[in-house]
Amino acid sequence: MHEILQPEGWAKPVGYANGVAARGRLIFVGGQVGWNGQCQFETDDFVGQVRQTLQNIVAVLAEAGAEPQHITSMTWYFTDKAEYLANLRGLGEAYREVIGRHFPAMAAMQVMALVEDRAKVEIQATAVIPDELVRLD
């Protein structure tokens, strides 16, 4: 569906792609946090917030007729690098549960704070629906 860009001789990344080439309808998902559709946090658990954040991204994508496999890029912002690193296994499970085994180009960084005080993570995503799959409404 998309072309994974892997320079010759580079070690293969685990859980992300170095780059992705795609052609089609672009979908830009603004930063999503781990609250539900009514802007209420149901958990302060890091993995739980990541799961909800990913579900929110999938819901926004669905509004454009896109699916998780159309994601080409994600940027993760979290407030505690140590908490992120301590939860890699749970994060991987939540990611595969919601997104599947699709790994777009990604960046992740610790930030001092997020606008929503209870938010532990915010994720921004870009997706591309291939031309042959673009729905005409």
Side-chain angles (χ1 to χ4, degrees):
M1 184 172 304
H2 300 108
E3 178 186 359
I4 301 300
L5 305 175
Q6 177 65 21
E8 187 175 332
W10 283 27
K12 186 175 179 182
V14 176
Y16 67 96
N18 286 307
V20 177
R23 184 176 276 173
R25 181 176 181 209
L26 299 174
I27 312 299
F28 300 95
V29 180
Q32 298 295 306
V33 297
W35 60 18
N36 63 27
Q38 288 68 49
C39 301
Q40 298 171 340
F41 287 93
E42 296 177 4
T43 183
D44 289 316
D45 174 69
F46 187 76
V47 173
Q49 283 199 16
V50 167
R51 180 178 288 105
Q52 182 64 58
T53 301
L54 294 171
Q55 290 170 342
N56 294 345
I57 289 168
V58 170
V60 173
L61 291 174
E63 287 298 306
E67 298 178 6
Q69 69 266 22
H70 298 130
I71 299 170
T72 55
S73 178
M74 299 175 94
T75 304
W76 295 50
Y77 306 93
F78 40 81
T79 56
D80 187 340
K81 177 183 172 184
E83 188 172 30
Y84 172 83
L85 293 173
N87 285 285
L88 290 177
R89 179 169 292 200
L91 292 174
E93 290 171 4
Y95 183 91
R96 288 186 302 277
E97 174 188 311
V98 179
I99 305 297
R101 292 195 169 276
H102 170 69
F103 304 106
M106 289 192 213
M109 64 200 78
Q110 177 177 307
V111 295
M112 183 176 286
L114 296 167
V115 172
E116 296 301 326
D117 289 333
R118 277 185 73 185
K120 295 183 173 208
V121 63
E122 184 168 335
I123 303 174
Q124 186 175 19
T126 302
V128 179
I129 304 173
D131 289 329
E132 63 273 10
L133 298 179
V134 173
R135 72 176 189 210
L136 302 173
D137 290 338

